[in-house]
Amino acid sequence: MMREEIATMSMSEKIILMEAIWDSLETEIDELQPPDWHQDVLSDRIERLNTGQVKLISLQELKNRIR
């Protein structure tokens, strides 16, 4: 399916298509392996959190910051 075809679809047709794609991916989930660098990034972020270099904020705090 090409972008042009998708662009002509209604919103409900696009949602149905997305659901079908997600359903098809679910059956192939065992084949999906994240790249090794993902673990490196996660480990680095956890380390920075544990050492106090960064802190978590709530979604509300984030919304307040960007207003």
Side-chain angles (χ1 to χ4, degrees):
M1 180 167 283
M2 304 301 287
R3 284 181 182 242
E4 296 81 19
E5 293 174 283
I6 295 171
T8 63
M9 297 170 72
S10 69
M11 183 63 71
S12 60
E13 289 171 323
K14 290 176 185 177
I15 292 171
I16 291 168
L17 176 60
M18 287 176 51
E19 289 174 344
I21 291 170
W22 278 114
D23 289 345
S24 72
L25 289 174
E26 185 177 40
T27 62
E28 301 170 18
I29 195 71
D30 293 334
E31 297 173 24
L32 180 63
Q33 294 297 319
D36 292 338
W37 63 267
H38 278 195
Q39 185 59 51
D40 295 339
V41 169
L42 292 173
S43 295
D44 179 60
R45 289 179 179 178
I46 291 170
E47 178 65 22
R48 290 188 298 146
L49 184 61
N50 288 338
T51 60
Q53 295 175 35
V54 295
K55 70 172 193 145
L56 299 177
I57 63 171
S58 70
L59 180 57
Q60 188 58 52
E61 287 176 282
L62 176 61
K63 288 179 181 180
N64 291 341
R65 287 184 183 188
I66 61 176
R67 289 185 187 177

